[in-house]
Amino acid sequence: MQKGIVISEEIYYKMLESYDKAMKELEELRQQLQISTELVSSQESENKVEMNNLTKECIEYISEEMEEGKLADEDRRLACVLSYLANDEDINELYELIKTGKAPGAGKQSGT
């Protein structure tokens, strides 16, 4: 035997309306998440393409320099690569570390 509760028709329709509203909001959130995911994925792809292009340019530049007799040793080639790619913030920090032997910002006093 099943047991149940009895509610008025008015309460039933209010509950149904609340449920429908919640489902609509959930669907809107799903759509927003999908759009956000697509945007992030698109941006990541663009960043990879930019980095690949920059890497190819760097390889071409280093190859030309080596053909001209420049950049004979490994250290000079590494310095050239890091200098070439230094417009990337992380690589620039690595370049500064290698160049100076100090981490960027080392020795600076904090505001406290």
Side-chain angles (χ1 to χ4, degrees):
M1 181 168 108
Q2 289 183 333
K3 293 185 178 184
I5 59 169
V6 177
I7 58 172
S8 70
E9 187 176 349
E10 181 181 343
I11 291 175
Y12 171 78
Y13 284 116
K14 283 184 180 180
M15 289 172 54
L16 192 57
E17 184 179 322
S18 294
Y19 175 80
D20 289 343
K21 183 179 177 184
M23 290 298 104
K24 183 178 178 183
E25 289 175 2
L26 181 59
E27 184 57 33
E28 288 173 0
L29 289 171
R30 282 184 184 144
Q31 290 173 355
Q32 290 173 358
L33 179 60
Q34 179 65 30
I35 290 169
S36 296
T37 301
E38 290 170 2
L39 288 174
V40 168
S41 179
S42 173
Q43 185 63 40
E44 287 175 350
S45 295
E46 289 175 19
N47 290 345
K48 285 179 185 177
V49 168
E50 288 176 18
M51 191 61 179
N52 286 341
N53 290 339
L54 186 59
T55 302
K56 287 176 185 176
E57 289 174 20
C58 183
I59 290 169
E60 289 173 11
Y61 176 77
I62 297 242
S63 297
E64 290 171 8
E65 293 292 302
M66 289 172 60
E67 286 176 7
E68 294 175 9
K70 301 174 185 175
L71 306 176
D73 64 60
E74 184 178 334
D75 290 337
R76 287 179 188 232
R77 289 190 298 269
L78 178 60
C80 181
V81 168
L82 291 173
S83 177
Y84 193 90
L85 300 175
N87 64 340
D88 179 277
E89 189 175 312
D90 293 333
I91 292 176
N92 188 44
E93 288 182 15
L94 177 62
Y95 176 66
E96 289 299 316
L97 174 65
I98 291 170
K99 188 169 91 173
T100 64
K102 297 178 183 174
K108 291 184 180 176
Q109 297 293 325
S110 65
T112 59

